[in-house]
C-alpha cells in the first residue's frame, strides 16, 4: 500500500511539533467556544429568568415519563468514556505520521486486496494531511465522548448515539480494515469483529427512541445477537488447521502463543509484560487445554445468551465479563500497548454490551424522578431553533444541553479543517519540511549559466532576469526521484496560477553521460512538460554542466555497476535580480506518494512570497 | 418471536455463520482467475551471451535482492584469446530494467529497458570492447522484454527495435528519428500473418543481406512465424517444420545473425510436449536447415545464447544445458549446470562457460567439449549499489 507510507519517521520532530501546535491551537479554540457558549447561556438566563426557571429538562417523548434505563445509562456513559479515551489516545505525538503506516497498514496487510484498496484510499488521504487528520480524529472522538456523557435524553442524546455509530463505522472500515473479518486468523480472543463495530452497535442502541426503552425486547435481541456471535466464534476457534489447538508447532509457538509472544516485549509496565509472558508460556505447554476452555466458554455462554433465560443469563454475564477481563489483560495486553494504541480493544466494549443486554432484559425502567410537565406545550427541536424562539430555548436549556452543544462544536472544530484540507490535492508542506528540513534563507548572486534548452535555444541567467526562478538539477534518465521532482515543479507552476507568468521553472541536466538534447526531450515528453510555457530543461557539454554544478555546489557522480547518477537534490529560489534567496532540500524522501505535492506547495509559497515583496 | 421473525433469524444466522466461516477459515491466497483466450507465448530471459570481433559478451542480472529495482544488470566481456571476464557495464544510466544487446563486428549497442518512472529506452554504444561508451539518442518508448528486441545491420548500421507495445521500429545511424517498421496487428493482417495467425512479435534481426526479419508466435499449428520485408512487402520466410511437429504451435524464441547466416531458436508446443529446434539460413532466409528436435520433457527454457559460426547454447530449468555447434550438428547435453547459472557462453575450441550468480558475485565455470564436469575459472565481485534506485 504505497499511498499510505510517507516514508517519514513517526517521531519526526518537525511533524510532532506541528501536530502539538495544531492541537494546542484547536484546543484553545475549543475552550473559547465553551466560554462563549457558557457566557451566552448565563446571560440569557439572567435576561429571561422566567424561561430558565423550572426547566432544565430536554425534549421528551409524549406519554408518561420514564427515567433513562440502566442499560442505556451503562452504554452511554461506558462508550462515552471509551470515545473520550480514544480521543486522548489519538493525541499521541506519533499519531499524525504513525497511524497510516503503523496502525492502518499492518492491520490491512493480511486482508484481501479489495480491502487493502479501500483502506489505502483513506490512509493515503490521511498521509497527505497528517496534521489535520490527526487533530480531526482527536476532536471528533473526544467530542462524541463528551456529547454522549452530557446528553442524557431527548433528540440530542439520540443524535449522540447516531454520531457514535456513524463515526464508529468509518473507523471500523478504514482504521480497522473491517475489523479484520475478511483476513485469515480471525479470532474473538484477539478482538474480532473489531472493537469499533461494538461502538457502532452501542451507538445504534443509544439512538433508539424512548418508547423502546420500556420493552425487554432490546435486551433479548442484544443478548441473542451476542450469543449467536459467540457461538460462531467458538466454531472458528475450534476449526482444525488454524493453529489454535497447538501450543507449539515445529518448535515455534502456536497461533495464540505466537500472538501474545509478540505483545510481551512491547513497551508497557513490567508486571503486565510478565503476565502476558506467563500466559504465553502456559499456552505453549497447555495449548490444547487453553483452546478447549476458550471454545467451551464461548459456546456455553453464547448458548445461554441465545436461550433468553434471565436466571441463566445472570451468571453467564458475570462469567463472560470475567472472561473478557482475563482476555483483555492476558491476550489483548489492555489494547493500548504494543505500538500506537488507538483504543482499549474489544473486550471492555464486549462486556459492556452483554451487561447492557442483561440489564435491559432484567430491569424495567424506573419512573422518572421528576414528573413530566404536561401543562407545557411540547416544542420540537426545529421549533426551538427558530430565531424568535432561540433566546427562550437557550434560557430553558440545561447545563447538559450546553455541554452537548459545545461537544458538537468540538467535533466540527476537528472535522472542518480536515474537510477543507481534503479538498486540496496538494499535500501538507510539513511533509516536505520533515523530509528535507527547513529551507535555508540566502542572498547571494546566482552563479551564471549559458546552456541550451529543450528547443535548442541558448538560455542564460541574464536572459531570465525580471522573473522569479525555481531552479533545480535533474538527471534525465533517473528512474525515481527526478521524475517526481519534475512533477513537483510542474505542480508548483499550477499552484501559482496567473502568477506563474512571472516565474520560470528551470531544471539543469545532472547527467554527464546522457546530456544530448534527445534525452532532455524524451524526459519532457515522459513527464508531460512539453506544453508548459515557463518550463526550461537546460543541458550542455559535460564540461559546461560540471562548471555550473560546481557553481551551485551540486555534486553529480557516476555510480558503478548499472546505477543511476548520484546527485544532490536541491532547489534554488532566485529572485528577479538574479540573487539566490532560498535553498531547499528537494529530495522527495523514501516515501514519495504523499510527499511529492508537499514540495510543490513549499516551492509555490516561496515563489509567491518573492513576487509579492517585489 | 413470531414464526416469520424466527425464520428470518434462522436464515440470518445461517448466512452470518457461513460468511464468517468462509472469511475466517480460508487461509489460501486468492487464485488468479484463468485467463480466457490464448496463453502468452514462451519467452527466454534477458540473460544471454553473444560474440563479435571485440570478444564474447554476456549480460546477466545481479544483486539477489527481493526488491526487483535493487537488482542491476551487468555486462561482461571476455576479449578474444583471453580466459578472463571483465565487468564493462555501461555507466550513467540505471539498468535495473534490463540490458538488451545488439552487435556488429565493430560495435556493441546496449539498450537500457526502462524501470520505475522511466518510460523511454536509453541507448549506448561501445566500439572498443566496453572500455568507453557513448550515449546514442534514446528510443522514446519502452523496449519489449525480449533478448532480441534490438538488432543492428552491420553493413548499414541501421537499428531495429521491438517495442513493448508490439511495434517494430527502425532508425538510420544517428538514431534520432525512429519510424515504424511494422505493428503486430498490421503484420497479422497481411497474407503471411493471417496464414500464421500471428499472436505476438518476439524477436527482430536482419538477414545476412540486410533485410529486416521479424519473428513471432503463431496460433496456427506447424507454422514458424519468421517474416522478411522484401521491397516493402512482408513475406513468410520461416522454415517448414518436421512432420512430427506440424500439430504444435511454433514460437520464435530467438533470432540473430552471424556474419553469413541467420540463426533462429524455435519452440514447438508447450508443457510436457514441447521441443526446441535450432534453424540456420544463409542469405535472405528463404532456405533453412533445422536441427533435430530437442524434447524439453516439461522443462522451460531459461536462457539462450549464441556463439561463433551459428552455435547456440541453451539453459533449461532443472540445471540442464545443451549446445548445438551449427547447421547439421546435433544437440549435446552439458554436464549438470553449476548452481546459480544464469547464462552460458561459448568459448574458443567449443569450450563452454557457465556464468553463475550469487548476489553480487559472479562465478565463471568452464567445461571443455565432451567434458563431464565444470571447473571454477574465475570469481568477480560486482559493486552493486543497493538502494540507489528506489
Amino acid at each position: 500500500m504505497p499511498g499510505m507510507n510517507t516514508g517519514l519517521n513517526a517521531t519526526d520532530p518537525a511533524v510532532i511539533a506541528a501536530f502539538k501546535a495544531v492541537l494546542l491551537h484547536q484546543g484553545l479554540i475549543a475552550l473559547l467556544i465553551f466560554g462563549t457558549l457558557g457566557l451566552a447561556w448565563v446571560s440569557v438566563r439572567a435576561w429571561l429568568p422566567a424561561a430558565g426557571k423550572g426547566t432544565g429538562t430536554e425534549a421528551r417523548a409524549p406519554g408518561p415519563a420514564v427515567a433513562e434505563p440502566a442499560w442505556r445509562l451503562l452504554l452511554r456513559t461506558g462508550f462515552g468514556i471509551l470515545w473520550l479515551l480514544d480521543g486522548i489516545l489519538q493525541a499521541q505525538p506519533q499519531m499524525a505520521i504513525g497511524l497510516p503506516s503503523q496502525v492502518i497498514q499492518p492491520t490491512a496487510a493480511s486482508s484481501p486486496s479489495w480491502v487493502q484498496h479501500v483502506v489505502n484510499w483513506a490512509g493515503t488521504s490521511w498521509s497527505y494531511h497528517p496534521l489535520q487528520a490527526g487533530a480531526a480524529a482527536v476532536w471528533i472522538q473526544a467530542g462524541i465522548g463528551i456529547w454522549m456523557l452530557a446528553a442524557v435524553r431527548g433528540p440530542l442524546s439520540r443524535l449522540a448515539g447516531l454520531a457514535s455509530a456513524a463515526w464508529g463505522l468509518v473507523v471500523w472500515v478504514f482504521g480497522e480494515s473491517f475489523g479484520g473479518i475478511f483476513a485469515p486468523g480471525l479470532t474473538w480472543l484477539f478482538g474480532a469483529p473489531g472493537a469499533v463495530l461494538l461502538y457502532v452497535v452501542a451507538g445504534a442502541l443509544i439512538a433508539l427512541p424512548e418508547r423502546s426503552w420500556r420493552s425487554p425486547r432490546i435486551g433479548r435481541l442484544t443478548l441473542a445477537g451476542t450469543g449467536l456471535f459467540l457461538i460462531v466464534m467458538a466454531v472458528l476457534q475450534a476449526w482444525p488447521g488454524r493453529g489454535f489447538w497447538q501450543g507449539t508447532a515445529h518448535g515455534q509457538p502456536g497461533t495464540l502463543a505466537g500472538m501474545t509472544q509478540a505483545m510481551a516485549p512491547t513497551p508497557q509496565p513490567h508486571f503486565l509484560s510478565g503476565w502476558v509472558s506467563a500466559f504465553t508460556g502456559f499456552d505453549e505447554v497447555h495449548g490444547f487445554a487453553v483452546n478447549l476452555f476458550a471454545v467451551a466458554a464461548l459456546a456455553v455462554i453464547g448458548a445461554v445468551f441465545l436461550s433468553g433465560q434471565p436466571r441463566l443469563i445472570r451468571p453467564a454475564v458475570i462469567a463472560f465479563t470475567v472472561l473478557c477481563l482475563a482476555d483483555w489483560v492476558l491476550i489483548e495486553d489492555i489494547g493500548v500497548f504494543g505500538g500506537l494504541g488507538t483504543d482499549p480493544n474489544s473486550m471492555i466494549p464486549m462486556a459492556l454490551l452483554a451487561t447492557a443486554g442483561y440489564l435491559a432484559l432484567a430491569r424495567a425502567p424506573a419512573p422518572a424522578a421528576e414528573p413530566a410537565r404536561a401543562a407545557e406545550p411540547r416544542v420540537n427541536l426545529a421549533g426551538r431553533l427558530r430565531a424568535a424562539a432561540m433566546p427562550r430555548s437557550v434560557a430553558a436549556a440545561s447545563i447538559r444541553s450546553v455541554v452537548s452543544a459545545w461537544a458538537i462544536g468540538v467535533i466540527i472544530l476537528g472535522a472542518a479543517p480536515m474537510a477543507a484540507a481534503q479538498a486540496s490535492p496538494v499535500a501538507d508542506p510539513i511533509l516536505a519540511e520533515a523530509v528535507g528540513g527547513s529551507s535555508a534563507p540566502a542572498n547571494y548572486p546566482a552563479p551564471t549559466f549559458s546552456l541550451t534548452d529543450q528547443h535548442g535555444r541558448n538560455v542564460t541567467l541574464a536572459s531570465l532576469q525580471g522573473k522569479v526562478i525555481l531552479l533545480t538539477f535533474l538527471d534525465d534518465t533517473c528512474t525515481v526521484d527526478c521524475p517526481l521532482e519534475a512533477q513537483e515543479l510542474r505542480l508548483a507552476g499550477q499552484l501559482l496560477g496567473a502568477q506563474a507568468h512571472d516565474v520560470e521553472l528551470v531544471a539543469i541536466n545532472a547527467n554527464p553521460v546522457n546530456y544530448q538534447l534527445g534525452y532532455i526531450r524524451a524526459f519532457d515528453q515522459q513527464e508531460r512538460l512539453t506544453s508548459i510555457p515557463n518550463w526550461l530543461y537546460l543541458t550542455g557539454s559535460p564540461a559546461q554542466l560540471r562548471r555550473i554544478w560546481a557553481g551551485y555546489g551540486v555534486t553529480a557522480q557516476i555510480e558503478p555497476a548499472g546505477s543511476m547518477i548520484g546527485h544532490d537534490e536541491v532547489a534554488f529560489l532566485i529572485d528577479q535580480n538574479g540573487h539566490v534567496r532560498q535553498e531547499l532540500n528537494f529530495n522527495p524522501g523514501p516515501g514519495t506518494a504523499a510527499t511529492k505535492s508537499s514540495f510543490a506547495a513549499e516551492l509555490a509559497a516561496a515563489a509567491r512570497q518573492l513576487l509579492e515583496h517585489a | 418471536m413470531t414464526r416469520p421473525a424466527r425464520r428470518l433469524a434462522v436464515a440470518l444466522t445461517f448466512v452470518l455463520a457461513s460468511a464468517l466461516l468462509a472469511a475466517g477459515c480460508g487461509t489460501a491466497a486468492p487464485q488468479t482467475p484463468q485467463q480466457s483466450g490464448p496463453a502468452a507465448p514462451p519467452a527466454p530471459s534477458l540473460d544471454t551471451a553473444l560474440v563479435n570481433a571485440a570478444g564474447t559478451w554476456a549480460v546477466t542480472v545481479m544483486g539477489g535482492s527481493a526488491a526487483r529495482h535493487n537488482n542491476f544488470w551487468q555486462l561482461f566481456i571476455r576479449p578474444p584469446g583471453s580466459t578472463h571476464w571483465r565487468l564493462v557495464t555501461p555507466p550513467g544510466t540505471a539498468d535495473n530494467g534490463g540490458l538488451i544487446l545488439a552487435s556488429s563486428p565493430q560495435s556493441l549497442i546496449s539498450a537500457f529497458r526502462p524501470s520505475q518512472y522511466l518510460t523511454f529506452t536509453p541507448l549506448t554504444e561501445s566500439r572498443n570492447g566496453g572500455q568507453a561508451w557513448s550515449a546514442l539518442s534514446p528510443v522514446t518508448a519502452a523496449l519489449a522484454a525480449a533478448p532480441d528486441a534490438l538488432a543492428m545491420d552491420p553493413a548499414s548500421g541501421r537499428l531495429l527495435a521491438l517495442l513493448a507495445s508490439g511495434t517494430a521500429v527502425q532508425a538510420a545511424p544517428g538514431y534520432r528519428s525512429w519510424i515504424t517498421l511494422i505493428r503486430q496487428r498490421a503484420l497479422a493482417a497481411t497474407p503471411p500473418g493471417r496464414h500464421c495467425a500471428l499472436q505476438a512479435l518476439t524477436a527482430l534481426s536482419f538477414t545476412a543481406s540486410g533485410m529486416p526479419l521479424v519473428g513471432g508466435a503463431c496460433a496456427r499449428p506447424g507454422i514458424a512465424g519468421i517474416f522478411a520485408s522484401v521491397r516493402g512487402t512482408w513475406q513468410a520466410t520461416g522454415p517448414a517444420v518436421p512432420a512430427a511437429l506440424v500439430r504444435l504451435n511454433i514460437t520464435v524464441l530467438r533470432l540473430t545473425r552471424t556474419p553469413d547466416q541467420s540463426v533462429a531458436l524455435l519452440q514447438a508446443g508447450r508443457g510436457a510436449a514441447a521441443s526446441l529446434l535450432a534453424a540456420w539460413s544463409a542469405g535472405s532466409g528463404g532456405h533453412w536447415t533445422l536441427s533435430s528436435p530437442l524434447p524439453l520433457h516439461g522443462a522451460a527454457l531459461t536462457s539462450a545464447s549464441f556463439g561463433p559460426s551459428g552455435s547456440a547454447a541453451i539453459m533449461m530449468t532443472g540445471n540442464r544445458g545443451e549446445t548445438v555447434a551449427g547447421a547439421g550438428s546435433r544437440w549435446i547435453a552439458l554436464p549438470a549446470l553449476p548452481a546459480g547459472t544464469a547464462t552460458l557462453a561459448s568459448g574458443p575450441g567449443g569450450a563452454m562457460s557457465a556464468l553463475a550468480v550469487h548476489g553480487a558475485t559472479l562465478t565463471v565455470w568452464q567445461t571443455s567439449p565432451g567434458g563431464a564436469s565444470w571447473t571454477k575459472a574465475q570469481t568477480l565481485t560486482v559493486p552493486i549499489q543497493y538502494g540507489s534506485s528506489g
Side-chain angles (χ1 to χ4, degrees):
Chain A
M1 283 178 275
M4 274 196 239
N5 188 3
T6 59
L8 293 180
N9 185 349
T11 57
D12 184 275
V15 180
I16 285 181
F19 184 48
K20 283 180 179 169
V22 168
L23 284 180
L24 183 68
H25 181 72
Q26 293 185 345
L28 287 173
I29 295 175
L31 281 178
L32 195 67
I33 294 172
F34 185 69
T36 310
L37 271 176
L39 199 64
W41 182 63
V42 170
S43 306
V44 173
R45 278 172 82 90
W47 179 41
L48 290 171
K53 269 185 193 165
T55 59
T57 56
E58 293 148 322
R60 285 196 190 114
V66 259
E68 184 183 33
W71 65 265
R72 192 177 187 275
L73 177 69
L74 179 71
L75 287 184
R76 192 173 54 72
T77 51
F79 282 88
I81 291 168
L82 283 175
W83 273 127
L84 200 53
L85 177 64
D86 293 357
I88 292 166
L89 287 170
Q90 284 292 333
Q92 291 174 85
Q94 306 97 308
M95 202 58 88
I97 292 293
L99 187 104
S101 57
Q102 293 181 22
V103 179
I104 299 178
Q105 202 168 357
T107 309
S110 55
S111 291
S113 58
W114 71 267
V115 173
Q116 294 189 20
H117 189 73
V118 169
V119 168
N120 188 44
W121 173 81
T124 303
S125 300
W126 179 297
S127 297
Y128 269 64
H129 309 285
L131 304 182
Q132 290 87 347
V138 171
W139 298 119
I140 290 172
Q141 295 184 177
I144 292 173
I146 295 166
W147 190 2
M148 285 173 73
L149 288 169
V152 175
R153 59 192 309 164
L156 271 181
S157 181
R158 291 178 61 197
L159 274 176
L162 276 183
S164 168
W167 180 251
L169 212 54
V170 170
V171 176
W172 184 67
V173 171
F174 298 115
E176 292 191 342
S177 305
F178 297 87
I181 62 169
F182 299 109
L186 182 74
T187 170
W188 176 84
L189 298 175
F190 248 71
V196 193
L197 190 62
L198 305 172
Y199 291 42
V200 175
V201 174
L205 290 172
I206 291 166
L208 289 172
E210 287 189 15
R211 65 174 177 276
S212 61
W213 293 3
R214 300 183 185 92
S215 164
R217 199 156 166 255
I218 289 173
R220 267 206 305 274
L221 284 173
T222 306
L223 284 172
T226 310
L228 180 64
F229 167 72
L230 292 181
I231 288 171
V232 173
M233 288 293 108
V235 174
L236 265 186
Q237 198 64 35
W239 202 270
R242 303 184 74 229
F244 287 105
W245 291 107
Q246 291 85 29
T248 55
H250 311 296
Q252 297 295 316
T255 307
L256 181 59
M259 286 174 170
T260 51
Q261 191 184 51
M263 303 291 281
T266 55
Q268 59 186 304
H270 183 67
F271 70 93
L272 204 54
S273 164
W275 289 355
V276 175
S277 295
F279 175 78
T280 304
F282 182 80
D283 185 55
E284 281 177 345
V285 178
H286 308 289
F288 186 87
V290 168
N291 202 46
L292 185 65
F293 173 78
V295 170
L298 289 172
V300 169
I301 294 170
V304 172
F305 283 179
L306 257 180
S307 76
Q309 297 292 321
R311 195 168 45 85
L312 295 174
I313 286 174
R314 186 187 163 93
V317 167
I318 294 170
F320 184 60
T321 305
V322 172
L323 183 66
C324 285
L325 286 174
D327 187 289
W328 186 53
V329 175
L330 297 177
I331 298 176
E332 289 190 346
D333 206 5
I334 317 272
V336 295
F337 298 116
L340 269 182
T342 54
D343 59 55
N345 216 332
S346 63
M347 289 301 153
I348 299 296
M350 187 72 77
L352 281 174
L353 208 56
T355 309
Y358 167 71
L359 291 174
L361 189 69
R363 286 192 201 171
E370 191 184 332
R373 293 185 302 134
E376 269 189 27
R378 184 171 171 268
V379 183
N380 64 16
L381 190 63
R384 285 166 167 245
L385 293 175
R386 268 205 311 272
M390 272 295 275
R392 192 174 171 79
S393 299
V394 171
S398 67
I399 182 73
R400 285 177 177 278
S401 300
V402 175
V403 174
S404 299
W406 173 60
I408 295 169
V410 167
I411 293 171
I412 295 168
L413 177 73
M418 179 60 193
Q422 285 304 317
S424 161
V426 183
D428 195 316
I430 188 70
L431 298 176
E433 195 184 323
V435 171
S438 300
S439 60
N443 192 359
Y444 59 88
T448 57
F449 53 78
S450 175
L451 293 165
T452 307
D453 74 3
Q454 66 269 32
H455 308 293
R457 298 174 304 207
N458 183 255
V459 175
T460 62
L461 178 65
S463 70
L464 302 175
Q465 203 147 20
K467 291 200 168 189
V468 169
I469 302 169
L470 291 174
L471 182 138
T472 192
F473 295 82
L474 301 178
D475 168 6
D476 47 17
T477 51
C478 160
T479 59
V480 187
D481 287 3
C482 296
L484 290 169
E485 289 158 1
Q487 289 307 311
E488 287 159 9
L489 277 179
R490 184 170 177 267
L491 185 56
Q494 285 174 7
L495 292 174
L496 285 165
Q499 288 177 303
H501 293 300
D502 300 317
V503 177
E504 287 290 337
L505 310 171
V506 180
I508 293 176
N509 194 4
N511 191 315
V513 176
N514 301 320
Y515 56 86
Q516 299 82 349
L517 274 182
Y519 283 90
I520 299 290
R521 289 172 181 157
F523 182 90
D524 281 1
Q525 201 178 331
Q526 169 186 281
E527 297 304 318
R528 305 184 316 280
L529 293 161
T530 49
S531 59
I532 309 290
N534 56 341
W535 167 254
L536 291 170
Y537 196 177
L538 309 179
T539 194
S541 69
Q544 280 177 302
L545 291 172
R546 284 199 176 92
R547 205 162 43 243
I548 293 161
W549 298 338
Y552 281 89
V554 170
T555 58
Q557 59 190 42
I558 299 170
E559 305 279 3
S563 285
M564 69 172 95
I565 297 293
H567 66 92
D568 292 331
E569 293 167 287
V570 61
F572 295 87
L573 182 71
I574 300 171
D575 69 14
Q576 295 89 330
N577 300 316
H579 276 64
V580 173
R581 300 300 298 272
Q582 217 168 318
E583 290 177 18
L584 301 100
N585 186 331
F586 206 38
N587 185 339
T592 51
T595 53
K596 60 184 175 187
S597 60
S598 63
F599 281 96
E602 195 181 21
L603 287 171
R608 200 172 286 128
Q609 204 176 5
L610 271 188
L611 287 169
E612 284 163 7
H613 287 87
Chain B
M1 234 190 262
T2 61
R3 188 173 288 176
R6 202 171 298 140
R7 248 186 247 138
L8 183 66
V10 170
L12 281 174
T13 307
F14 178 75
V15 170
L16 183 65
S18 309
L20 280 171
L21 285 176
C25 301
T27 51
Q31 297 292 310
T32 309
Q34 289 288 319
Q35 295 280 327
S36 58
S45 74
L46 301 184
D47 300 86
T48 190
L50 59 84
V51 178
N52 74 356
T56 305
W57 303 80
V59 62
T60 186
V61 65
M62 298 185 73
S65 170
R68 204 170 162 176
H69 62 256
N70 259 336
N71 295 320
F72 294 87
W73 290 76
Q74 305 302 333
L75 183 62
F76 300 92
I77 189 171
R78 183 180 57 201
S82 171
T83 55
H84 274 66
W85 292 83
R86 214 172 60 224
L87 179 70
V88 288
T89 305
T93 310
D95 66 8
N96 46 1
L99 288 176
I100 296 174
L101 310 179
S103 74
S104 70
Q106 305 80 29
S107 77
L108 183 112
I109 293 181
S110 174
F112 300 81
R113 282 201 76 238
S115 67
Q116 295 160 293
Y117 293 123
L118 197 69
T119 59
F120 60 91
T121 306
L123 296 178
T124 186
E125 181 182 31
S126 175
R127 292 178 165 270
N128 57 5
Q131 290 175 54
W133 294 91
S134 320
L136 303 174
S137 282
V139 185
T140 53
L143 251 58
D148 298 311
L150 193 68
M152 179 162 43
D153 176 32
S156 65
R158 259 190 316 158
L159 278 180
L160 293 181
L162 178 59
L163 306 183
S165 60
T167 299
V169 293
Q170 61 178 338
Y175 314 119
R176 285 190 176 82
S177 167
W178 290 83
I179 56 168
T180 300
L181 175 67
I182 189 76
R183 291 188 171 85
Q184 186 261 328
R185 281 188 173 191
L187 186 54
T190 62
R194 281 201 303 274
H195 180 64
C196 124
L198 185 67
Q199 262 187 308
L201 302 186
T202 55
L204 298 174
S205 186
F206 284 95
T207 64
S209 57
M211 267 190 310
L213 274 184
V214 176
C218 293
R220 187 186 299 273
I223 309 289
I226 298 177
F227 308 91
S229 171
V230 182
R231 288 183 292 279
T233 305
W234 287 93
Q235 296 180 355
T237 57
V241 298
L245 305 177
V246 292
R247 290 177 185 280
L248 301 175
N249 292 106
I250 311 292
T251 300
V252 177
L253 296 175
R254 298 290 314 262
L255 196 55
T256 191
R257 60 162 289 173
T258 64
D260 54 359
Q261 60 185 336
S262 296
V263 187
L265 270 179
L266 313 173
Q267 180 170 328
R270 312 264 167 93
S275 298
L276 277 186
L277 292 158
W280 298 266
S281 172
S284 61
H287 175 75
W288 294 81
T289 305
L290 286 175
S291 72
S292 54
L294 173 70
L296 293 180
H297 300 298
L301 182 88
T302 53
S303 165
S305 47
F306 295 106
S309 314
S311 66
I314 59 156
M315 269 181 66
M316 290 166 278
T317 51
N319 279 5
R320 281 175 62 197
E322 300 266 349
T323 60
V324 61
S329 310
R330 60 186 181 83
W331 290 100
I332 297 171
L334 292 166
L337 300 178
T341 299
T343 195
L344 298 167
S346 299
M352 189 61 61
S353 298
L355 280 71
V357 175
H358 291 101
T361 304
L362 179 85
T363 307
V364 182
W365 299 81
Q366 206 92 28
T367 188
S368 50
S373 63
W374 295 91
T375 312
K376 192 189 281 189
Q378 189 186 354
T379 301
L380 277 118
T381 301
V382 176
I384 303 281
Q385 305 294 298
Y386 294 103
S388 64
S389 292

